[in-house]
Amino acid sequence: MAQLAYINKIGQFADCEVTLRGWLYNKRSSGKIHFLQVRDGTGIIQCVISRDDVSVESFEVAKKLTQESSLSITGIVHADKRAPSGYELQVTSLEEVALAAEYPIAPKEHGVGFLMDHRHLWLRSRRQAIIMRVRSSLVKAIRDYLDERGFTLLDAPIFTPNACEGTTTLFETNYFDRRAYLTQSGQLYMEAGAMAFGRVYCFGPTFRAEKSKTRRHLTEFWMVEPEVAFFDLDDDMDLMEDFVVTLVARLLDKHRKEIEELERDVTALEQVQKPFPRIRYDEAVEILKRKGVDFQWGGDFGGEDETLLSEEFDRPFMVHRFPMQCKAFYMKRDPENPKLSLSVDMLAPEGKGEIIGGGQREDDLATLEKSITQHKLPKEAFAWFVDLRRYGSVPHAGFGLGVERFLGWICGLHHVRETIPFPRLMDRLQP
Amino acid sequence: MAQLAYINKIGQFADCEVTLRGWLYNKRSSGKIHFLQVRDGTGIIQCVISRDDVSVESFEVAKKLTQESSLSITGIVHADKRAPSGYELQVTSLEEVALAAEYPIAPKEHGVGFLMDHRHLWLRSRRQAIIMRVRSSLVKAIRDYLDERGFTLLDAPIFTPNACEGTTTLFETNYFDRRAYLTQSGQLYMEAGAMAFGRVYCFGPTFRAEKSKTRRHLTEFWMVEPEVAFFDLDDDMDLMEDFVVTLVARLLDKHRKEIEELERDVTALEQVQKPFPRIRYDEAVEILKRKGVDFQWGGDFGGEDETLLSEEFDRPFMVHRFPMQCKAFYMKRDPENPKLSLSVDMLAPEGKGEIIGGGQREDDLATLEKSITQHKLPKEAFAWFVDLRRYGSVPHAGFGLGVERFLGWICGLHHVRETIPFPRLMDRLQP
């Protein structure tokens, strides 16, 4: 065995002999030469094995290796401009680790159900691997952005004692003979955190038991929720904008070639620059009406409405000041028009829908208590939340960004099921 | 309002006028002068307000401000060696944001139940804030370590379809008229990931419905689980060791003073250097017997046993090759003694118990299938997991580190409930 190497760092070993350990992704053969596409989890490289260059044993191994067999392969690294990785391996020896049985995922087209049933293997395919690597980088970019700007990570609890806004979309569990619900958002806890640490965020899985089979819904998805003390709606929109611009730039910087390989048009992502358009809800309603939609003032936008709105803009845009009636009890009223809330949604372009929801929170004790009563919520359950307005209340705002929708937009995916390693949908709990 | 500043960056503004926004942590007064301890989430600073230096209004505000009232305070930054933060603010003006009602957490001693009921406020106290900041840094250190070493983050699912090892410690939920369980570990999914990406990790909440009220148990806790293809037990122990040494060094580097403020003896942490002792399970049993424990070969160690073992070492240590009978079905047998498994636990010194569990996994198809039968596990449920041995099996190993126990050890905490923002225990689901 020579120096061990990974494919994504192979350039450091040009003209040297290295050993790679991985799996056979694909193979072409003539009588005297085999072209092995080998993957090791970091990339794919072509390995050329000539009968004249290797032992009889190595050549026989190359002959019999099946797709996804594991192997250890040694050879000289050659720069090759035609190769996708820029390098090729001239094999000097090859050993089999384990021969794979006939691999169920062939290059031919498979149905989505079949691929989802084989998600544990499907992840090995080039396309899925790229998406997961971009996801890994996105999570890191999100955390780095916030960590570098003085935010304290404060993990929100998953088990929550109360059904804030009805139980229909909540998963419930028996918690030592009490009822507990799986969190839909860590926001209320982040408000407590902002009063303690100034700038906080949580980033974890959240859950929605929605009986919905659309291409935008998962029952289990990851959300990052920053919350900042002494922030108003404008500050919040500035942060959202800077956050998204920074994330997109970083992903393009690191994964441009891979994203292009997904057949995603990256010019649309290059346009994600400040400033993002900021329109009032009322203006958005005007746009929809102008486009012939029979939209009733007061409601939230549906998927179709969002798509129509996004046709107006070449980058993400923000819609602010939604009617109070379509937002949660904790939203702050617009002092200039109490029918409106200081809320904001950010919508992705290209009809990819809402990627961020946020706003300024009600910080007045009496107003919040009244809102809880009006929403017929259990007062005791929110006593701790109301406390935050009793002991040193300050203006504060925050937002939530869903990782999967964001990633789906970045990668240009039609369905959110490819954005998470093991997707959970209404009819999908396996593997 | 002058230049806005945060307390942890106040040193950049020596002799300049700045405005801080935060909360009143404490106050001492003489007739002509008030000493305000102000916190802003990043730290605490003393602000001195003299009747001669400020307007009548500002001085009146200082007089009436109650503990935890929110405020905006402007003044000149002075270096002061006696001050814990190294600086003091000579106040030029003070505004109240919101006057706090009488704050329930007084400097006097409170019972744990009371403090836990007021966790949303307790987090504001100096001690809790330090622990949470160290936690935030620990999470970042963990992720950075793995990200910098070529690991791909692969979030494991929370909803799992099967009860791997009995349902007694699993939380269950109704998943669209099927049963789903909340994950206890992402390991099986990480094994699939390692075959696709070489090096992977998951890092998320895990759940145990243990009817246990010890100081080491939470029902909801965060665990990081790396898994690596082409890794054996020795590689795994090397990684665990390097991981822990790096994490401890980074936390000491960043938080030494704060950890000392918790009355934690940091010299014990400075001793966390390579190499860590590595002893066989059999040797550990010998130690216990020598110490007079009536320990039966084959069982796992209890809390008392762990404490006795840890007396032998001045740093974390590893116990490897536990009997197969006390480890999970997926553990690889020791080829030199089939009664033993290639498993390893890392125990913290000072009787803080197990902080890591890991080992090499069974990679032989027939042996794994036999093990599943012997453990009376449902074959179909593990069909996908067994697939990993059918299609390009390779030796692989990994481990799981629990954030809360690790943090409890670092911070020298008696009970794990202070290591997570909103702890969930058998009798604690609120706030």
Side-chain angles (χ1 to χ4, degrees):
Chain A
M1 205 163 74
Q3 165 80 46
L4 278 174
Y6 283 105
I7 294 170
N8 65 345
K9 307 272 189 206
I10 201 91
Q12 302 169 1
F13 301 99
D15 303 319
C16 300
E17 190 173 51
V18 298
T19 296
L20 302 174
R21 297 183 301 189
W23 296 264
L24 182 66
Y25 194 62
N26 216 334
K27 183 168 74 174
R28 277 185 306 120
S29 299
S30 74
K32 289 184 185 174
I33 196 160
H34 297 290
F35 299 93
L36 311 181
Q37 303 285 332
V38 171
R39 65 169 192 86
D40 72 349
T42 74
I44 296 176
I45 192 168
Q46 174 157 284
C47 305
V48 184
I49 179 163
S50 290
R51 199 167 56 185
D52 301 339
D53 294 350
V54 298
S55 67
V56 176
E57 292 77 13
S58 286
F59 199 73
E60 282 304 305
V61 170
K63 210 173 195 173
K64 76 170 184 187
L65 279 186
T66 49
Q67 188 186 355
E68 284 302 323
S69 291
S70 46
L71 52 85
S72 174
I73 193 162
T74 301
I76 315 288
V77 179
H78 289 306
D80 181 347
K81 282 188 183 151
R82 294 160 307 169
S85 70
Y87 296 91
E88 204 176 70
L89 198 74
Q90 187 69 37
V91 180
T92 51
S93 78
L94 171 64
E95 285 169 65
E96 159 195 330
V97 176
L99 200 66
E102 196 188 348
Y103 196 61
I105 304 181
K108 68 172 179 183
E109 286 276 318
H110 293 281
V112 164
F114 179 85
L115 290 171
M116 295 277 278
D117 285 341
H118 293 82
R119 183 66 176 168
H120 55 294
L121 302 176
W122 190 25
L123 286 171
R124 302 181 185 187
S125 74
R126 179 80 184 144
R127 182 179 166 82
Q128 298 304 313
I130 289 173
I131 298 168
M132 286 305 111
R133 272 198 286 268
V134 177
R135 180 186 168 102
S136 183
S137 294
L138 171 59
V139 170
K140 183 159 187 65
I142 287 171
R143 292 184 180 266
D144 285 350
Y145 180 95
L146 296 167
D147 293 337
E148 287 162 11
R149 283 158 183 80
F151 283 76
T152 299
L153 167 69
L154 206 68
D155 295 307
I158 306 297
F159 289 129
T160 55
N162 301 110
C164 294
E165 298 167 66
T167 56
T168 49
T169 62
L170 284 171
F171 288 105
E172 187 185 313
T173 189
N174 178 336
Y175 192 89
F176 304 105
D177 302 323
R178 299 172 57 183
R179 271 184 204 173
Y181 302 94
L182 302 188
T183 184
Q184 293 199 319
S185 158
Q187 184 206 310
L188 305 194
Y189 294 97
M190 289 309 99
E191 291 190 45
M195 303 303 136
F197 298 92
R199 301 174 158 236
V200 291
Y201 71 102
C202 60
F203 192 177
T206 52
F207 305 88
R208 300 245 165 122
E210 259 174 299
K211 286 197 177 166
S212 162
K213 292 191 184 178
T214 84
R215 60 193 174 82
R216 288 183 187 169
H217 286 92
L218 294 166
T219 57
E220 178 186 315
F221 58 99
W222 285 67
M223 188 150 67
V224 58
E225 295 176 272
E227 189 79 25
V228 185
F230 297 101
F231 242 41
D232 65 17
L233 178 63
D234 287 333
D235 297 325
D236 206 31
M237 289 197 280
D238 290 346
L239 179 66
M240 285 162 57
E241 185 181 69
D242 189 62
F243 191 47
V244 169
V245 167
T246 306
L247 296 179
V248 172
R250 190 157 152 180
L251 293 177
L252 272 182
D253 184 47
K254 191 159 181 200
H255 296 285
R256 175 184 295 267
K257 271 181 73 181
E258 290 176 294
I259 293 171
E260 281 172 343
E261 221 183 303
L262 300 175
E263 291 172 359
R264 168 65 161 129
D265 174 15
V266 297
T267 57
L269 298 177
E270 283 163 352
Q271 274 161 330
V272 180
Q273 301 292 345
K274 296 182 197 179
F276 293 177
R278 302 180 184 191
I279 62 170
R280 291 170 164 266
Y281 172 88
D282 287 357
E283 293 171 72
V285 172
E286 283 309 309
I287 291 170
L288 290 176
K289 284 188 172 159
R290 203 193 323 131
K291 293 195 162 213
V293 182
D294 180 24
F295 188 87
Q296 287 294 313
W297 191 95
D300 205 349
F301 302 120
E304 290 288 304
D305 304 322
E306 291 178 348
T307 302
L308 284 169
L309 288 171
S310 77
E311 288 170 5
E312 300 288 300
F313 307 102
D314 67 347
R315 63 194 72 193
F317 59 102
M318 297 185 251
V319 182
H320 56 89
R321 292 181 166 77
F322 283 73
M324 271 308 283
Q325 65 192 78
C326 70
K327 289 289 175 184
F329 74 96
Y330 49 71
M331 280 294 178
K332 190 167 178 70
R333 278 174 200 277
D334 185 352
E336 287 171 14
N337 180 351
K339 281 191 179 165
L340 302 180
S341 63
L342 295 178
S343 55
V344 56
D345 283 359
M346 186 186 287
L347 283 80
E350 306 163 80
K352 292 291 180 182
E354 183 195 327
I355 45 174
I356 294 185
Q360 192 173 336
R361 325 303 185 182
E362 185 51 69
D363 54 313
D364 180 68
L365 177 62
T367 311
L368 183 65
E369 282 179 330
K370 202 170 131 193
S371 181
I372 287 172
T373 307
Q374 280 169 347
H375 281 78
K376 299 193 173 60
L377 293 169
K379 234 178 144 176
E380 329 69 59
F382 293 98
W384 71 269
F385 183 63
V386 170
D387 267 0
L388 306 175
R389 282 71 181 169
R390 205 183 303 276
Y391 306 111
S393 190
V394 303
H396 59 290
F399 63 83
L401 176 146
V403 164
E404 288 75 16
R405 284 217 193 152
F406 192 86
L407 182 65
W409 164 54
I410 295 292
C411 292
L413 305 178
H414 174 69
H415 197 295
V416 80
R417 67 186 157 223
E418 288 182 51
T419 60
I420 189 164
F422 295 92
R424 296 298 183 241
L425 301 136
M426 191 181 158
D427 52 4
R428 169 65 54 188
L429 184 58
Q430 216 134 4
Chain B
M1 204 164 73
Q3 165 78 47
L4 278 174
Y6 282 105
I7 293 170
N8 65 346
K9 308 272 189 209
I10 202 90
Q12 301 168 3
F13 300 99
D15 303 320
C16 299
E17 189 172 53
V18 298
T19 297
L20 301 175
R21 298 183 300 189
W23 296 265
L24 182 66
Y25 194 63
N26 215 333
K27 185 167 74 174
R28 279 185 303 121
S29 299
S30 73
K32 289 183 183 174
I33 196 161
H34 297 291
F35 299 94
L36 310 182
Q37 303 285 332
V38 171
R39 65 170 192 86
D40 71 350
T42 75
I44 296 177
I45 193 169
Q46 174 155 283
C47 305
V48 184
I49 181 164
S50 289
R51 199 166 58 188
D52 300 341
D53 294 348
V54 298
S55 68
V56 176
E57 292 76 13
S58 286
F59 200 73
E60 281 305 304
V61 170
K63 210 176 198 170
K64 77 170 183 185
L65 278 187
T66 50
Q67 188 186 355
E68 284 301 323
S69 290
S70 47
L71 52 85
S72 175
I73 192 161
T74 301
I76 313 291
V77 179
H78 289 308
D80 181 347
K81 283 189 184 153
R82 293 161 306 168
S85 70
Y87 295 90
E88 203 176 71
L89 198 75
Q90 186 69 38
V91 180
T92 52
S93 77
L94 170 64
E95 284 170 66
E96 159 195 332
V97 176
L99 201 66
E102 195 187 347
Y103 196 61
I105 303 182
K108 70 173 174 173
E109 286 276 318
H110 292 282
V112 164
F114 179 86
L115 291 170
M116 294 277 278
D117 285 341
H118 292 81
R119 184 67 176 166
H120 54 295
L121 302 176
W122 190 24
L123 286 171
R124 302 182 185 187
S125 74
R126 178 80 184 144
R127 181 178 167 83
Q128 298 304 313
I130 289 174
I131 297 168
M132 287 303 112
R133 272 198 287 269
V134 177
R135 180 186 168 101
S136 183
S137 293
L138 171 60
V139 170
K140 183 159 188 63
I142 288 171
R143 293 184 180 268
D144 285 351
Y145 180 94
L146 297 167
D147 293 338
E148 287 163 10
R149 283 159 184 81
F151 284 75
T152 298
L153 168 69
L154 206 67
D155 296 306
I158 306 297
F159 289 129
T160 56
N162 300 110
C164 294
E165 300 167 66
T167 56
T168 48
T169 61
L170 284 171
F171 287 104
E172 186 185 314
T173 190
N174 178 336
Y175 192 88
F176 305 105
D177 302 323
R178 298 174 58 184
R179 272 184 202 171
Y181 302 94
L182 302 188
T183 186
Q184 292 198 319
S185 159
Q187 184 207 310
L188 304 194
Y189 294 97
M190 289 309 99
E191 292 190 44
M195 302 303 134
F197 298 93
R199 302 175 159 237
V200 292
Y201 70 102
C202 62
F203 193 177
T206 52
F207 305 88
R208 299 243 165 123
E210 261 174 297
K211 286 198 176 163
S212 163
K213 291 191 183 177
T214 84
R215 60 194 175 80
R216 288 183 186 170
H217 286 91
L218 294 166
T219 57
E220 178 186 315
F221 59 100
W222 284 67
M223 188 151 67
V224 58
E225 294 176 272
E227 188 79 24
V228 185
F230 298 101
F231 242 41
D232 64 16
L233 178 62
D234 287 332
D235 297 325
D236 206 31
M237 290 198 280
D238 290 346
L239 180 66
M240 283 162 58
E241 185 182 69
D242 190 62
F243 191 48
V244 169
V245 167
T246 307
L247 296 179
V248 172
R250 190 158 152 179
L251 293 178
L252 271 181
D253 184 46
K254 192 160 181 202
H255 295 287
R256 175 185 294 269
K257 271 180 76 179
E258 287 175 296
I259 293 171
E260 282 173 341
E261 222 183 303
L262 300 175
E263 292 171 359
R264 167 65 161 129
D265 174 14
V266 296
T267 58
L269 297 176
E270 284 163 352
Q271 273 160 331
V272 180
Q273 302 292 344
K274 294 183 199 179
F276 293 178
R278 301 181 185 192
I279 62 171
R280 290 171 164 264
Y281 172 87
D282 288 356
E283 293 171 72
V285 172
E286 282 310 308
I287 292 170
L288 290 177
K289 284 190 172 157
R290 201 191 327 132
K291 293 194 164 214
V293 181
D294 180 24
F295 188 87
Q296 286 294 313
W297 191 94
D300 206 348
F301 303 120
E304 290 289 306
D305 305 323
E306 291 178 348
T307 301
L308 284 169
L309 288 171
S310 76
E311 287 170 4
E312 302 287 300
F313 306 102
D314 67 346
R315 64 194 69 194
F317 60 102
M318 297 185 250
V319 182
H320 57 89
R321 292 180 166 77
F322 284 73
M324 272 307 285
Q325 66 192 75
C326 70
K327 289 289 175 182
F329 75 96
Y330 47 72
M331 279 296 176
K332 190 167 178 68
R333 278 175 203 277
D334 185 350
E336 289 172 14
N337 180 351
K339 281 191 178 165
L340 302 181
S341 62
L342 295 179
S343 55
V344 56
D345 283 359
M346 186 187 288
L347 284 80
E350 305 164 79
K352 291 292 180 181
E354 183 194 329
I355 46 175
I356 294 185
Q360 193 173 335
R361 324 304 186 183
E362 185 51 70
D363 54 314
D364 180 68
L365 177 62
T367 310
L368 183 65
E369 281 179 330
K370 203 169 128 194
S371 181
I372 287 173
T373 307
Q374 280 170 347
H375 281 78
K376 299 192 173 62
L377 294 169
K379 235 178 143 175
E380 327 70 59
F382 293 97
W384 72 268
F385 183 63
V386 170
D387 267 359
L388 306 175
R389 281 72 182 169
R390 204 183 303 275
Y391 306 111
S393 189
V394 304
H396 59 291
F399 62 83
L401 177 148
V403 165
E404 288 76 16
R405 284 219 193 149
F406 192 86
L407 182 65
W409 164 52
I410 295 292
C411 292
L413 306 177
H414 175 69
H415 197 296
V416 79
R417 68 187 157 223
E418 288 182 53
T419 59
I420 190 164
F422 294 92
R424 296 297 184 242
L425 302 137
M426 191 181 158
D427 52 3
R428 169 65 54 188
L429 184 57
Q430 218 136 4

